[in-house]
């Protein structure tokens, strides 16, 4: 289990009056008489999130400590809860998960817990008409909404509502997050517009980027489907090799949470037809970057992806991203 150590800059803002500050104070309370302890604020609610993206957003909104069950490199489609995860969930006061069938192996556990405590599927706050569907499973939505900052606003609002209900004041964090979302959206539009039009095709390991494609008018092609559970077929590989060759696409992208085995087959297939394709970089698809790094935050992961995609496909973007923070610790 990956314990979040709080990579967000919010930790710096946690004064003694904040939830985090109160929590730190409580560590020293054991020695106080009961009456004195009772007079102090009670312990803040324990917040547990499934994905890093949700945990980072909840930290930004609450200023509090939030445990993320799925750390860097974890594939949420296939990840099974460990005994430690079950324990963390059973001790939580608020559970924030994505829903939309993303954490497929958590369904039973979360349904059970929802009868006992606050369990919120934050991705399901996106209005139904804004959701894309999974072409492989009728009636199932595409869960990868965090790649469109405008859609992530709905998830953030659902997180804020849950946290407000538990006594947090999310207004300052929400204002800051809203500014981040505006900045990311503006940066994405400016940077991606510099990529020559014929190169605006994103080829990745699995179909995680459909919302990105819709938001920016790009064609997106994943070797695997929406979920990573299915194996990529040979027919799919050869179809994508043809696309790379005929459209002269210079780069494809590996993902931090998915094996790049099939990607190598793609590159070799194109090479056999005389077209050289580079790995344009690693994208953070379903998990964020290392804890404690800028890429280990939701805005950082989006900034990294936009910057990596733009630069690899012939566009112009600053090497260190929209705010010069890529590659730096928070
Ligand atoms: Zn995915």
């Amino acid at each position: 289990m990956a314990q979040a150590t709080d990579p967000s800059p919010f930790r710096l803002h946690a004064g003694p009056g904040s939830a985090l500050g109160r929590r730190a104070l409580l560590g020293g309370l054991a020695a106080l008489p009961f009456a004195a302890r009772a007079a102090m604020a009670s312990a803040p609610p324990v917040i547990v999130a499934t994905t890093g993206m949700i945990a980072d957003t909840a930290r930004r909104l609450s200023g509090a400590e939030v445990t993320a069950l799925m750390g860097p490199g974890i594939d949420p489609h296939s990840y099974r809860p460990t005994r430690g995860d079950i324990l963390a969930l059973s001790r939580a006061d608020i559970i924030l998960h994505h829903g939309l069938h993303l954490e497929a192996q958590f369904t039973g556990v979360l349904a059970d817990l929802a009868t006992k405590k606050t369990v919120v599927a934050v991705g399901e706050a996106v209005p139904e008409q804004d959701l894309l569907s999974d072409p492989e499973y009728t009636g199932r939505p595409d869960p990868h909404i965090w790649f469109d900052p405008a859609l992530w606003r709905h998830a953030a609002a659902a997180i804020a509502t849950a946290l407000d209900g538990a006594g947090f004041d999310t207004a300052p964090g929400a204002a800051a997050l809203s500014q981040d979302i505006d900045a990311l959206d503006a940066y994405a539009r400016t940077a991606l517009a510099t990529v020559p039009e014929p190169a605006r095709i994103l080829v990745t390991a699995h179909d995680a980027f459909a919302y990105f494609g819709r938001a920016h008018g790009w064609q997106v092609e994943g070797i695997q489907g929406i979920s990573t559970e299915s194996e990529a077929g040979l027919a799919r590989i050869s179809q994508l090799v043809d696309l790379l060759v005929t459209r002269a696409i210079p780069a494809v992208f590996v993902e931090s949470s998915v094996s790049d085995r099939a990607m190598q087959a793609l590159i070799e297939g194109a090479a056999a037809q005389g077209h050289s394709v580079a790995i344009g970089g690693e994208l953070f698809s379903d998990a964020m970057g290392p804890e404690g790094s800028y890429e280990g935050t939701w805005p950082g992961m989006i900034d990294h992806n936009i910057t990596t995609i733009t630069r690899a496909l012939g566009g112009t973007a600053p090497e260190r991203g929209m705010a010069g923070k890529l590659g730096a610790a928070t």
Side-chain angles (χ1 to χ4, degrees):
M1 178 177 69
Q3 281 287 351
T5 49
D6 193 6
S8 87
F10 272 73
R11 195 171 188 110
L12 301 174
H13 304 153
S18 71
L20 189 62
R22 282 201 300 277
R23 182 160 239 218
L25 276 173
L26 285 163
L29 290 183
L32 292 176
F34 177 75
R37 266 184 286 160
M40 302 287 290
S42 57
V46 174
I47 311 166
V48 173
T50 50
T51 71
M53 292 75 84
I54 297 170
D56 180 63
T57 303
R59 279 180 205 123
R60 282 163 193 276
L61 290 167
S62 64
E65 220 177 289
V66 180
T67 298
L69 301 182
M70 302 178 192
I74 297 288
D75 172 5
H77 301 284
S78 60
Y79 181 77
R80 286 175 194 281
T82 63
R83 283 182 60 185
D85 294 340
I86 305 282
L87 193 63
L89 289 167
S90 70
R91 287 178 177 163
D93 298 301
I94 305 171
I95 297 169
L96 303 169
H97 70 108
H98 191 79
L100 303 173
H101 298 281
L102 178 72
E103 309 100 325
Q105 312 298 330
F106 279 70
T107 312
V109 175
L110 292 173
D112 181 41
L113 288 163
T115 62
K116 301 170 194 149
K117 55 182 83 189
T118 305
V119 177
V120 184
V122 306
E124 293 177 9
V126 173
E128 215 174 314
Q129 69 267 22
D130 291 341
L131 292 171
L132 295 168
S133 52
D134 181 338
E136 285 178 71
Y137 297 93
T138 316
R140 212 181 256 196
D142 178 342
H144 303 91
I145 56 162
W146 54 93
F147 292 116
D148 180 351
L151 290 186
W152 193 243
R153 271 185 204 281
H154 295 289
I159 296 169
T161 301
L163 296 173
D164 286 339
F168 290 98
D169 174 16
T170 60
L177 181 61
S178 185
Q179 283 182 355
D180 283 346
I181 289 175
D182 288 342
L184 278 170
D185 210 40
Y187 174 64
R189 286 179 200 288
T190 309
L192 294 167
T194 65
V195 174
E197 226 163 315
R200 292 180 193 172
I201 302 178
L202 184 63
V203 180
T204 59
H206 88 296
D207 265 331
F209 294 91
Y211 291 106
F212 164 91
R214 184 178 68 177
H216 300 291
W218 280 48
Q219 182 178 343
V220 295
E221 300 286 348
I223 300 176
Q224 280 175 287
I226 296 272
S227 170
T228 52
E229 301 276 69
S230 58
E231 275 288 308
L234 283 176
R236 179 65 179 148
I237 301 269
S238 92
Q239 188 187 19
L240 286 175
V241 165
D242 286 348
L243 180 75
L244 293 172
V245 173
T246 54
R247 299 283 291 270
I249 299 166
V252 292
F253 300 87
V254 293
E255 298 176 26
S256 64
S257 53
V258 185
S259 153
D260 62 358
R261 210 157 25 108
M263 200 53 84
Q264 292 303 335
L266 213 57
I267 290 169
E268 283 160 24
Q273 294 190 38
H275 176 57
S276 163
V277 177
I279 297 271
E282 182 181 77
L283 302 181
F284 297 115
S285 54
D286 293 0
M288 308 191 302
E291 284 170 24
S293 70
Y294 172 57
E295 290 85 341
T297 67
W298 173 74
M301 89 185 277
I302 302 295
D303 186 358
H304 166 92
N305 287 353
I306 298 295
T307 304
T308 303
I309 292 165
T310 300
R311 291 172 61 87
L313 294 175
T316 312
E319 193 177 349
R320 300 194 60 194
M322 74 171 186
K325 290 187 193 170
L326 291 176
T330 48

